[in-house]
Amino acid sequence: EDKVVQSPLSLVVHEGDTVTLNCSYEVTNFRSLLWYKQEKKAPTFLFMLTSSGIEKKSGRLSSILDKKELFSILNITATQTGDSAVYLCAVLNYGGSQGNLIFGKGTKLSVKP
Amino acid sequence: ETGVTQSPTHLIKTRGQQVTLRCSSQSGHNTVSWYQQALGQGPQFIFQYYREEENGRGNFPPRFSGLQFPNYSSELNVNALELDDSALYLCASSRFQGTTQETQYFGPGTRLLVL
């Protein structure tokens, strides 16, 4: 059965800390791995990773994919209270559709002032 | 903000009733996917629509059905509502070109409560 596992499930840090969120996957028809940030309702897109070893960066956020070991990490440096959210990892799966997302349970990040 | 909109934002129904949720996709997108997100869980894939046909389905019973219209907007219908159907329902739109699906962008969701 295809699955995506995120760790930790929750994390409490203080402003200025650096955090690393983990995502491992076992998906038969893997196409790409995506990270989303969910604050209230709509998950907002952060990164799409398709190739191994190529880091993607956006401001204080960065992410990398290892397709050999089947995992990805999301790093957030110099955290701010506005980074508090649930971070979702998803794999774009091409089995039986033109691509559906298989999500992990998410990591709930709380950044305290 | 994405250009994906959903209505209504909140809904309360009782067991056994039927509900219709609506989604307008982002301009230029031709594919709509629906997900169910229970409290504390990641979204679960319900089904996907492309060219007005269902194009892939997750592990949901037939009482979950949908439509896609020529303008690419979509509806999710749930019959015979059960308490466990209480969840946030998310719609995501994307563009499928050739053999590649681009990034899925999510709408704000509809929060359904079944009493």
PDB file of all heavy atoms in Angstrom, chain A residues 83-107:
ATOM      1  N   ASP A  83       5.500  31.375  10.783  1.00  0.00           N
ATOM      2  CA  ASP A  83       5.760  30.048  10.217  1.00  0.00           C
ATOM      3  C   ASP A  83       4.918  28.976  10.897  1.00  0.00           C
ATOM      4  O   ASP A  83       4.888  27.830  10.448  1.00  0.00           O
ATOM      5  CB  ASP A  83       7.246  29.672  10.372  1.00  0.00           C
ATOM      6  CG  ASP A  83       8.174  30.575   9.586  1.00  0.00           C
ATOM      7  OD1 ASP A  83       7.777  31.042   8.487  1.00  0.00           O
ATOM      8  OD2 ASP A  83       9.303  30.839  10.074  1.00  0.00           O
ATOM      9  N   SER A  84       4.238  29.335  11.984  1.00  0.00           N
ATOM     10  CA  SER A  84       3.383  28.371  12.689  1.00  0.00           C
ATOM     11  C   SER A  84       2.281  27.897  11.749  1.00  0.00           C
ATOM     12  O   SER A  84       1.504  28.693  11.211  1.00  0.00           O
ATOM     13  CB  SER A  84       2.761  29.017  13.932  1.00  0.00           C
ATOM     14  OG  SER A  84       3.755  29.361  14.865  1.00  0.00           O
ATOM     15  N   ALA A  85       2.218  26.590  11.557  1.00  0.00           N
ATOM     16  CA  ALA A  85       1.270  26.005  10.600  1.00  0.00           C
ATOM     17  C   ALA A  85       1.459  24.494  10.618  1.00  0.00           C
ATOM     18  O   ALA A  85       2.347  23.966  11.293  1.00  0.00           O
ATOM     19  CB  ALA A  85       1.532  26.529   9.191  1.00  0.00           C
ATOM     20  N   VAL A  86       0.619  23.817   9.853  1.00  0.00           N
ATOM     21  CA  VAL A  86       0.831  22.394   9.572  1.00  0.00           C
ATOM     22  C   VAL A  86       1.511  22.295   8.213  1.00  0.00           C
ATOM     23  O   VAL A  86       1.051  22.892   7.235  1.00  0.00           O
ATOM     24  CB  VAL A  86      -0.495  21.610   9.559  1.00  0.00           C
ATOM     25  CG1 VAL A  86      -0.256  20.168   9.114  1.00  0.00           C
ATOM     26  CG2 VAL A  86      -1.146  21.641  10.936  1.00  0.00           C
ATOM     27  N   TYR A  87       2.610  21.570   8.166  1.00  0.00           N
ATOM     28  CA  TYR A  87       3.341  21.381   6.911  1.00  0.00           C
ATOM     29  C   TYR A  87       3.037  19.983   6.382  1.00  0.00           C
ATOM     30  O   TYR A  87       3.279  18.986   7.064  1.00  0.00           O
ATOM     31  CB  TYR A  87       4.834  21.603   7.123  1.00  0.00           C
ATOM     32  CG  TYR A  87       5.135  23.067   7.381  1.00  0.00           C
ATOM     33  CD1 TYR A  87       5.005  23.603   8.662  1.00  0.00           C
ATOM     34  CD2 TYR A  87       5.484  23.923   6.341  1.00  0.00           C
ATOM     35  CE1 TYR A  87       5.227  24.955   8.898  1.00  0.00           C
ATOM     36  CE2 TYR A  87       5.709  25.275   6.573  1.00  0.00           C
ATOM     37  CZ  TYR A  87       5.569  25.779   7.849  1.00  0.00           C
ATOM     38  OH  TYR A  87       5.783  27.124   8.083  1.00  0.00           O
ATOM     39  N   LEU A  88       2.504  19.949   5.189  1.00  0.00           N
ATOM     40  CA  LEU A  88       2.085  18.701   4.565  1.00  0.00           C
ATOM     41  C   LEU A  88       3.052  18.294   3.474  1.00  0.00           C
ATOM     42  O   LEU A  88       3.432  19.118   2.633  1.00  0.00           O
ATOM     43  CB  LEU A  88       0.687  18.851   3.962  1.00  0.00           C
ATOM     44  CG  LEU A  88      -0.470  19.093   4.934  1.00  0.00           C
ATOM     45  CD1 LEU A  88      -1.705  19.560   4.172  1.00  0.00           C
ATOM     46  CD2 LEU A  88      -0.777  17.844   5.729  1.00  0.00           C
ATOM     47  N   CYS A  89       3.413  17.035   3.490  1.00  0.00           N
ATOM     48  CA  CYS A  89       4.222  16.442   2.423  1.00  0.00           C
ATOM     49  C   CYS A  89       3.289  15.560   1.591  1.00  0.00           C
ATOM     50  O   CYS A  89       2.435  14.848   2.149  1.00  0.00           O
ATOM     51  CB  CYS A  89       5.337  15.617   3.053  1.00  0.00           C
ATOM     52  SG  CYS A  89       6.284  14.619   1.885  1.00  0.00           S
ATOM     53  N   ALA A  90       3.408  15.614   0.286  1.00  0.00           N
ATOM     54  CA  ALA A  90       2.552  14.809  -0.586  1.00  0.00           C
ATOM     55  C   ALA A  90       3.361  14.286  -1.753  1.00  0.00           C
ATOM     56  O   ALA A  90       4.256  14.968  -2.254  1.00  0.00           O
ATOM     57  CB  ALA A  90       1.379  15.645  -1.092  1.00  0.00           C
ATOM     58  N   VAL A  91       3.020  13.081  -2.180  1.00  0.00           N
ATOM     59  CA  VAL A  91       3.643  12.506  -3.371  1.00  0.00           C
ATOM     60  C   VAL A  91       2.625  12.478  -4.486  1.00  0.00           C
ATOM     61  O   VAL A  91       1.487  12.033  -4.299  1.00  0.00           O
ATOM     62  CB  VAL A  91       4.176  11.084  -3.084  1.00  0.00           C
ATOM     63  CG1 VAL A  91       4.560  10.387  -4.381  1.00  0.00           C
ATOM     64  CG2 VAL A  91       5.366  11.156  -2.137  1.00  0.00           C
ATOM     65  N   LEU A  92       3.023  12.966  -5.657  1.00  0.00           N
ATOM     66  CA  LEU A  92       2.174  12.908  -6.844  1.00  0.00           C
ATOM     67  C   LEU A  92       2.310  11.515  -7.437  1.00  0.00           C
ATOM     68  O   LEU A  92       3.387  11.096  -7.857  1.00  0.00           O
ATOM     69  CB  LEU A  92       2.587  13.982  -7.851  1.00  0.00           C
ATOM     70  CG  LEU A  92       1.729  14.096  -9.102  1.00  0.00           C
ATOM     71  CD1 LEU A  92       0.294  14.481  -8.743  1.00  0.00           C
ATOM     72  CD2 LEU A  92       2.322  15.105 -10.077  1.00  0.00           C
ATOM     73  N   ASN A  93       1.172  10.822  -7.432  1.00  0.00           N
ATOM     74  CA  ASN A  93       1.118   9.411  -7.809  1.00  0.00           C
ATOM     75  C   ASN A  93       0.423   9.271  -9.153  1.00  0.00           C
ATOM     76  O   ASN A  93      -0.662   9.815  -9.351  1.00  0.00           O
ATOM     77  CB  ASN A  93       0.343   8.666  -6.718  1.00  0.00           C
ATOM     78  CG  ASN A  93      -0.017   7.265  -7.114  1.00  0.00           C
ATOM     79  OD1 ASN A  93       0.820   6.512  -7.576  1.00  0.00           O
ATOM     80  ND2 ASN A  93      -1.287   6.910  -6.958  1.00  0.00           N
ATOM     81  N   TYR A  94       1.018   8.533 -10.066  1.00  0.00           N
ATOM     82  CA  TYR A  94       0.424   8.375 -11.390  1.00  0.00           C
ATOM     83  C   TYR A  94      -0.204   7.011 -11.603  1.00  0.00           C
ATOM     84  O   TYR A  94      -0.326   6.557 -12.722  1.00  0.00           O
ATOM     85  CB  TYR A  94       1.472   8.659 -12.475  1.00  0.00           C
ATOM     86  CG  TYR A  94       1.431  10.071 -12.980  1.00  0.00           C
ATOM     87  CD1 TYR A  94       1.463  11.138 -12.092  1.00  0.00           C
ATOM     88  CD2 TYR A  94       1.345  10.352 -14.335  1.00  0.00           C
ATOM     89  CE1 TYR A  94       1.433  12.436 -12.547  1.00  0.00           C
ATOM     90  CE2 TYR A  94       1.312  11.656 -14.796  1.00  0.00           C
ATOM     91  CZ  TYR A  94       1.354  12.693 -13.899  1.00  0.00           C
ATOM     92  OH  TYR A  94       1.321  13.986 -14.359  1.00  0.00           O
ATOM     93  N   GLY A  95      -0.622   6.351 -10.550  1.00  0.00           N
ATOM     94  CA  GLY A  95      -1.292   5.074 -10.695  1.00  0.00           C
ATOM     95  C   GLY A  95      -2.794   5.239 -10.816  1.00  0.00           C
ATOM     96  O   GLY A  95      -3.459   5.593  -9.859  1.00  0.00           O
ATOM     97  N   GLY A  96      -3.365   5.021 -11.982  1.00  0.00           N
ATOM     98  CA  GLY A  96      -4.819   5.008 -12.100  1.00  0.00           C
ATOM     99  C   GLY A  96      -5.471   6.348 -12.344  1.00  0.00           C
ATOM    100  O   GLY A  96      -6.664   6.446 -12.531  1.00  0.00           O
ATOM    101  N   SER A  97      -4.706   7.405 -12.346  1.00  0.00           N
ATOM    102  CA  SER A  97      -5.279   8.718 -12.653  1.00  0.00           C
ATOM    103  C   SER A  97      -4.169   9.521 -13.311  1.00  0.00           C
ATOM    104  O   SER A  97      -3.059   9.038 -13.493  1.00  0.00           O
ATOM    105  CB  SER A  97      -5.778   9.421 -11.396  1.00  0.00           C
ATOM    106  OG  SER A  97      -4.689   9.867 -10.619  1.00  0.00           O
ATOM    107  N   GLN A  98      -4.503  10.743 -13.643  1.00  0.00           N
ATOM    108  CA  GLN A  98      -3.447  11.588 -14.205  1.00  0.00           C
ATOM    109  C   GLN A  98      -2.664  12.286 -13.126  1.00  0.00           C
ATOM    110  O   GLN A  98      -2.050  13.309 -13.365  1.00  0.00           O
ATOM    111  CB  GLN A  98      -4.065  12.593 -15.173  1.00  0.00           C
ATOM    112  CG  GLN A  98      -4.469  11.929 -16.470  1.00  0.00           C
ATOM    113  CD  GLN A  98      -5.334  12.824 -17.320  1.00  0.00           C
ATOM    114  OE1 GLN A  98      -5.733  13.887 -16.891  1.00  0.00           O
ATOM    115  NE2 GLN A  98      -5.644  12.378 -18.501  1.00  0.00           N
ATOM    116  N   GLY A  99      -2.674  11.733 -11.969  1.00  0.00           N
ATOM    117  CA  GLY A  99      -1.866  12.278 -10.896  1.00  0.00           C
ATOM    118  C   GLY A  99      -2.712  12.692  -9.719  1.00  0.00           C
ATOM    119  O   GLY A  99      -3.366  13.725  -9.751  1.00  0.00           O
ATOM    120  N   ASN A 100      -2.722  11.873  -8.670  1.00  0.00           N
ATOM    121  CA  ASN A 100      -3.368  12.272  -7.432  1.00  0.00           C
ATOM    122  C   ASN A 100      -2.322  12.352  -6.344  1.00  0.00           C
ATOM    123  O   ASN A 100      -1.284  11.701  -6.410  1.00  0.00           O
ATOM    124  CB  ASN A 100      -4.475  11.300  -7.028  1.00  0.00           C
ATOM    125  CG  ASN A 100      -3.939   9.900  -6.763  1.00  0.00           C
ATOM    126  OD1 ASN A 100      -3.687   9.152  -7.686  1.00  0.00           O
ATOM    127  ND2 ASN A 100      -3.739   9.567  -5.492  1.00  0.00           N
ATOM    128  N   LEU A 101      -2.571  13.192  -5.359  1.00  0.00           N
ATOM    129  CA  LEU A 101      -1.627  13.405  -4.274  1.00  0.00           C
ATOM    130  C   LEU A 101      -1.917  12.448  -3.121  1.00  0.00           C
ATOM    131  O   LEU A 101      -3.055  12.299  -2.696  1.00  0.00           O
ATOM    132  CB  LEU A 101      -1.702  14.850  -3.777  1.00  0.00           C
ATOM    133  CG  LEU A 101      -1.264  15.910  -4.795  1.00  0.00           C
ATOM    134  CD1 LEU A 101      -1.580  17.307  -4.276  1.00  0.00           C
ATOM    135  CD2 LEU A 101       0.226  15.789  -5.080  1.00  0.00           C
ATOM    136  N   ILE A 102      -0.850  11.820  -2.639  1.00  0.00           N
ATOM    137  CA  ILE A 102      -0.929  10.996  -1.425  1.00  0.00           C
ATOM    138  C   ILE A 102      -0.222  11.785  -0.332  1.00  0.00           C
ATOM    139  O   ILE A 102       0.981  12.062  -0.447  1.00  0.00           O
ATOM    140  CB  ILE A 102      -0.249   9.632  -1.630  1.00  0.00           C
ATOM    141  CG1 ILE A 102      -0.924   8.883  -2.790  1.00  0.00           C
ATOM    142  CG2 ILE A 102      -0.302   8.815  -0.353  1.00  0.00           C
ATOM    143  CD1 ILE A 102      -0.208   7.619  -3.191  1.00  0.00           C
ATOM    144  N   PHE A 103      -0.965  12.152   0.697  1.00  0.00           N
ATOM    145  CA  PHE A 103      -0.458  13.019   1.749  1.00  0.00           C
ATOM    146  C   PHE A 103      -0.010  12.246   2.983  1.00  0.00           C
ATOM    147  O   PHE A 103      -0.552  11.192   3.325  1.00  0.00           O
ATOM    148  CB  PHE A 103      -1.549  13.999   2.202  1.00  0.00           C
ATOM    149  CG  PHE A 103      -1.774  15.153   1.260  1.00  0.00           C
ATOM    150  CD1 PHE A 103      -2.671  15.043   0.212  1.00  0.00           C
ATOM    151  CD2 PHE A 103      -1.106  16.353   1.450  1.00  0.00           C
ATOM    152  CE1 PHE A 103      -2.892  16.122  -0.650  1.00  0.00           C
ATOM    153  CE2 PHE A 103      -1.315  17.436   0.609  1.00  0.00           C
ATOM    154  CZ  PHE A 103      -2.210  17.301  -0.438  1.00  0.00           C
ATOM    155  N   GLY A 104       0.963  12.818   3.679  1.00  0.00           N
ATOM    156  CA  GLY A 104       1.250  12.411   5.039  1.00  0.00           C
ATOM    157  C   GLY A 104       0.283  13.104   5.989  1.00  0.00           C
ATOM    158  O   GLY A 104      -0.559  13.902   5.565  1.00  0.00           O
ATOM    159  N   LYS A 105       0.419  12.808   7.285  1.00  0.00           N
ATOM    160  CA  LYS A 105      -0.486  13.404   8.268  1.00  0.00           C
ATOM    161  C   LYS A 105      -0.125  14.848   8.594  1.00  0.00           C
ATOM    162  O   LYS A 105      -0.924  15.568   9.190  1.00  0.00           O
ATOM    163  CB  LYS A 105      -0.482  12.579   9.559  1.00  0.00           C
ATOM    164  CG  LYS A 105      -1.138  11.225   9.414  1.00  0.00           C
ATOM    165  CD  LYS A 105      -1.253  10.530  10.758  1.00  0.00           C
ATOM    166  CE  LYS A 105      -2.006   9.220  10.602  1.00  0.00           C
ATOM    167  NZ  LYS A 105      -2.195   8.537  11.890  1.00  0.00           N
ATOM    168  N   GLY A 106       1.059  15.256   8.207  1.00  0.00           N
ATOM    169  CA  GLY A 106       1.482  16.614   8.470  1.00  0.00           C
ATOM    170  C   GLY A 106       2.319  16.748   9.723  1.00  0.00           C
ATOM    171  O   GLY A 106       2.253  15.911  10.629  1.00  0.00           O
ATOM    172  N   THR A 107       3.112  17.806   9.761  1.00  0.00           N
ATOM    173  CA  THR A 107       3.858  18.189  10.965  1.00  0.00           C
ATOM    174  C   THR A 107       3.314  19.536  11.420  1.00  0.00           C
ATOM    175  O   THR A 107       3.326  20.506  10.653  1.00  0.00           O
ATOM    176  CB  THR A 107       5.360  18.324  10.685  1.00  0.00           C
ATOM    177  OG1 THR A 107       5.903  17.049  10.376  1.00  0.00           O
ATOM    178  CG2 THR A 107       6.079  18.912  11.897  1.00  0.00           C
TER     179      THR A 107
END
